[in-house]
Amino acid sequence: MELKKQSIAIAGGGSTFTPGIIMMLLENLEIFPIRQIKFYDNDPERQKQIADACEIILKERAPEITFVATTDPEIAFTDVDFVMAHIRVGKYAMREKDEKIPLKYGVIGQETCGPGGIAYGMRSIGGVLELVDYMEQYSPNAWMLNYSNPAAIVAEATRKLRPNSKIINICDMPVGIEHRMAEILGMKSRKELSIRYYGLNHFGWWTDIRDKDGNDLMPAIQKHVKEHGYLTPAELEGKGSEEVEASWVHTFGKAKEVYPLDPKTLPNTYLKYYLFPQDEVEKANPEYTRANEVMDHREKMVFGECNRISQLGTAVNSELEMDDHASYIVDLARAIAYNTKERMLLIVPNNGAIANFDPTAMVEIPCIVGSNGPEPLVQGEIPRFQKGLMEQQVAVEKLVVEAWEEGSYQKLWQALTVSRIVPNARVAKNILDDFIAVNTEFWPTLN
Ligand SMILES: NC(=O)c1ccc[n+]([C@@H]2O[C@H](COP(=O)([O-])OP(=O)(O)OC[C@H]3O[C@@H](n4cnc5c(N)ncnc54)[C@H](O)[C@@H]3O)[C@@H](O)[C@H]2O)c1
Ligand SMILES: O=P(O)(O)OC[C@H]1O[C@H](O[C@H]2[C@H](O)[C@@H](O)[C@@H](O)O[C@@H]2CO)[C@H](O)[C@@H](O)[C@@H]1O
Ligand SMILES: [Mn+2]
C-alpha cells in the first residue's frame, strides 16, 4: 500500500540541527515520504542562511518536495502533518549568560541543568506554547515533535498548560549513549538493543539492556563503564571522531564516577552535574563555556557550509551530515503516521508507570508509539535513591512552570533553592536577580 506523503514544518528553521534533519529526512523518503517542507523562525536572516542551502539540497535530491521558508506563522503552520520544533529562545547569546552567571557564584552553569536550565526554561515555555497554539490554529490535526530544550521544563509546561495538545517531547541523549553502548559491545546498531529505562529528562537510568535473543547485556556494559565510562574502544585508543569535542569526551568519561552510585543500573551522562557539581565548577572556564565552544564549532561549521552551498549554487560534495537525533525524530514521526508501534523513550506523564512516583511528573520511559500517540510501559517501583533524587528535581521543574504561569519571584527563588546544584538560598537569590536583569525581553514579569 502506498504510504501517505507527509507535510512537515520545522520550527526553528535557523537551527544548527536543521540541515542534519533535512539530510535524515531525505535518507528516509522510502519509508517516510514527504510532499512539503516548510521552515519557520522568528529570525529571518538566520533562517535564510540555512533555508537557501536546504532549498538547493532539496532541489537537487528531491525536486518533487515543495519547500518554503517563512516567518509568517499562518504560512508555516497551515496544511502540515508534523511540526518538528527545535527553537532556542534567546539563542546562543542567552545560553552563554545561562552558563556564565551561575559560575560567578561558584555554581555550575549548564544549558539544561540547574540554574542555567531554569533560566532557559523561563524563556522556552512561552516560545513553545506559541508554536503549539499556531499549530492548533492552522493545522488542528497535526502532531508536534518537540526537541526544544530544556525538554523537562517544556514538557511539564505543555502537560500543565496545554494538556490536550498533540505534542511529544523528546531527547536524543539516551540515543547517543545507546549508540556508544552498541559500539562498546561491537554491535552494528543501537537498534539491536532492547532497553528499559526510567527517570526525568536528562536525569535517568538504564535498568535492563538485552539483545534481540534476550541475552542480558548489562554486565558487559557495566564492566566497561566501571573502567572507562561511555568512552568507546576507538576513543580509548585515541582514534575517536574529531567531531566529538573535548568537553563531550570528558562527559562520556565521567560516567565512570557516576556509575558506582548504583551498580545495578547505568546512568544518563547528565547525572554528573547533580552528583558531582563541584567537579564541574572546578573544570569550568568562566570566560569560555560550552556556548562559546558551540558558537566556535557547530554554529561556524553549519553556517559556513550552508553559505558555501548557497554561493556555489550546488550541494554536490556537501559536508553536511545526518544527526543522531534526526533518525530518532523520523522513527517517531513514522510511528504516528503509519502506526508502526515503535518502542522508544519519550517524555510522558507518569500516570502510574513508575508506581511509587508522582503521577503528574513528566518522566522519560519506554513507550509504544502508534497513530494514537505514545503508550507508556509500566516500570514498577523505583529504589529510594533514585526516588529521592527525582522528587527533588521534579519539584524544581514544577516550581519553574508555576513561577512562569503566576509571574512568581518567590516560586522561582524556591526552584533555584531546591536544585541540588545550588548550595543555599542566598546564592540562589543572587543568581536569580542577575538572571532577571538580563532576561527582561524573554521572561514574564516576576512579582
Ligand atoms: N531534545 C534534545 O535532546 C536536543 C538535542 C539537540 C538540540 N536540542 C535543542 O534544539 C534547539 C536548537 O538548538 P540549536 O543549538 O540548533 O539552536 P540555534 O540557536 O542554532 O537555533 C534555534 C533557532 O530557533 C529560533 N528561535 C528562537 N526563538 C524562536 C521563537 N520564539 N519562534 C521561532 N523560532 C525561534 C532561532 O532564531 C534559531 O534560528 C535548542 O533548544 C536545543 O537545546 C535538543
Ligand atoms: O552542547 P551542545 O549544544 O553540543 O549539546 C547539548 C545537547 O546535548 C545532547 O544532545 C546531543 C546528543 O546527545 C548527541 O548524541 C549528539 O546528537 O549531539 C547532540 C547535541 O550535541 C542533549 O540531549 C541535548 O538536550 C542538548 O541540547
Ligand atoms: Mn536532550
Side-chain angles (χ1 to χ4, degrees), residues 20-267:
I21 285 195
I22 293 295
M23 304 301 274
M24 179 58 74
L25 290 172
L26 288 174
E27 186 75 14
N28 286 278
L29 287 176
E30 291 268 300
I31 57 172
F32 189 68
I34 294 170
R35 61 182 170 85
Q36 176 171 253
I37 292 177
K38 299 199 264 191
F39 285 4
Y40 171 74
D41 204 297
N42 66 356
D43 178 339
E45 289 73 36
R46 185 180 180 87
Q47 175 166 264
K48 182 172 181 355
Q49 296 178 69
I50 302 288
D52 287 355
C54 290
E55 186 166 28
I56 290 168
I57 293 168
L58 288 165
K59 275 212 173 68
E60 290 181 337
R61 302 184 194 182
E64 72 283 4
I65 294 175
T66 58
F67 175 78
V68 69
T70 180
T71 56
D72 178 333
E74 183 168 5
I75 294 172
F77 291 87
T78 298
D79 179 31
V80 297
D81 302 302
F82 290 97
V83 177
M84 296 180 177
H86 52 203
I87 64 173
R88 183 184 296 278
V89 179
K91 293 194 280 254
Y92 292 134
M94 290 311 295
R95 173 176 178 175
E96 184 176 10
K97 290 180 168 50
D98 296 345
E99 295 173 354
K100 290 184 174 174
I101 286 174
L103 282 170
K104 278 172 53 182
Y105 302 97
V107 173
I108 191 65
Q110 212 280 326
E111 180 200 29
T112 60
C113 303
I118 289 168
Y120 190 11
M122 287 293 284
R123 293 195 302 273
S124 298
I125 292 170
V128 173
L129 293 183
E130 183 184 59
L131 299 179
V132 174
D133 294 345
Y134 284 147
M135 177 181 79
E136 292 181 343
Q137 181 178 358
Y138 298 115
S139 289
N141 296 321
W143 278 87
M144 182 174 293
L145 313 181
N146 178 59
Y147 260 99
S148 311
N149 265 322
I153 290 171
V154 166
E156 170 61 11
T158 53
R159 177 198 69 84
K160 186 160 192 266
L161 304 171
R162 297 293 184 280
N164 303 315
S165 295
K166 289 158 69 175
I167 175 169
I168 300 178
N169 291 284
I170 40 189
C171 172
D172 63 9
M173 193 73 245
V175 171
I177 298 171
E178 288 166 15
H179 275 309
R180 288 173 167 268
M181 290 173 173
E183 197 173 331
I184 288 162
L185 293 170
M187 299 171 89
K188 288 195 197 63
S189 159
R190 60 170 275 271
K191 295 236 171 151
E192 296 177 61
L193 305 176
S194 178
I195 64 105
R196 289 174 69 82
Y197 179 100
Y198 70 83
L200 306 171
N201 174 247
H202 289 184
F203 201 100
W205 294 262
W206 282 268
T207 56
D208 191 275
I209 302 175
R210 293 175 190 273
D211 63 18
K212 292 301 181 205
D213 299 326
N215 299 304
D216 184 359
L217 301 174
M218 286 287 274
I221 304 170
Q222 287 167 331
K223 183 171 181 297
H224 180 96
V225 170
K226 190 177 174 190
E227 291 299 310
H228 309 296
Y230 292 118
L231 295 176
T232 63
E235 284 167 338
L236 292 171
E237 291 164 22
K239 298 173 190 153
S241 159
E242 281 172 16
E243 280 165 31
V244 183
E245 291 151 290
S247 55
W248 270 107
V249 173
H250 173 269
T251 290
F252 290 118
K254 190 74 175 181
K256 168 178 176 176
E257 289 189 63
V258 174
Y259 163 67
L261 271 158
D262 179 358
K264 292 190 297 302
T265 64
L266 282 162

Side-chain angles (χ1 to χ4, degrees), residues 199-340:
L200 306 171
N201 174 247
H202 289 184
F203 201 100
W205 294 262
W206 282 268
T207 56
D208 191 275
I209 302 175
R210 293 175 190 273
D211 63 18
K212 292 301 181 205
D213 299 326
N215 299 304
D216 184 359
L217 301 174
M218 286 287 274
I221 304 170
Q222 287 167 331
K223 183 171 181 297
H224 180 96
V225 170
K226 190 177 174 190
E227 291 299 310
H228 309 296
Y230 292 118
L231 295 176
T232 63
E235 284 167 338
L236 292 171
E237 291 164 22
K239 298 173 190 153
S241 159
E242 281 172 16
E243 280 165 31
V244 183
E245 291 151 290
S247 55
W248 270 107
V249 173
H250 173 269
T251 290
F252 290 118
K254 190 74 175 181
K256 168 178 176 176
E257 289 189 63
V258 174
Y259 163 67
L261 271 158
D262 179 358
K264 292 190 297 302
T265 64
L266 282 162
N268 186 305
T269 46
Y270 274 96
L271 287 165
K272 74 167 186 173
Y273 295 110
Y274 298 97
L275 300 172
F276 298 97
Q278 295 78 1
D279 293 6
E280 297 304 312
V281 172
E282 275 161 30
K283 73 180 252 311
N285 173 356
E287 306 304 317
Y288 194 83
T289 60
R290 179 64 192 155
N292 300 115
E293 287 181 353
V294 173
M295 287 186 266
D296 286 348
H297 303 147
R298 183 171 69 238
E299 186 176 51
K300 277 207 169 79
M301 189 282 285
V302 170
F303 280 80
E305 178 62 6
C306 284
N307 290 327
R308 187 188 71 82
I309 290 168
S310 300
Q311 277 142 23
L312 276 179
T314 175
V316 172
N317 305 325
S318 163
E319 290 168 13
L320 292 173
E321 289 179 356
M322 299 180 286
D323 280 331
D324 272 353
H325 69 230
S327 64
Y328 200 57
I329 209 165
V330 170
D331 291 343
L332 179 55
R334 287 195 69 237
I336 292 170
Y338 311 126
N339 202 35
T340 64

Side-chain angles (χ1 to χ4, degrees), residues 413-433:
W413 182 15
Q414 290 172 348
L416 283 156
T417 302
V418 171
S419 173
R420 261 188 76 82
I421 289 177
V422 179
N424 63 60
R426 184 178 312 107
V427 168
K429 192 172 190 308
N430 292 338
I431 292 173
L432 174 55
D433 291 341

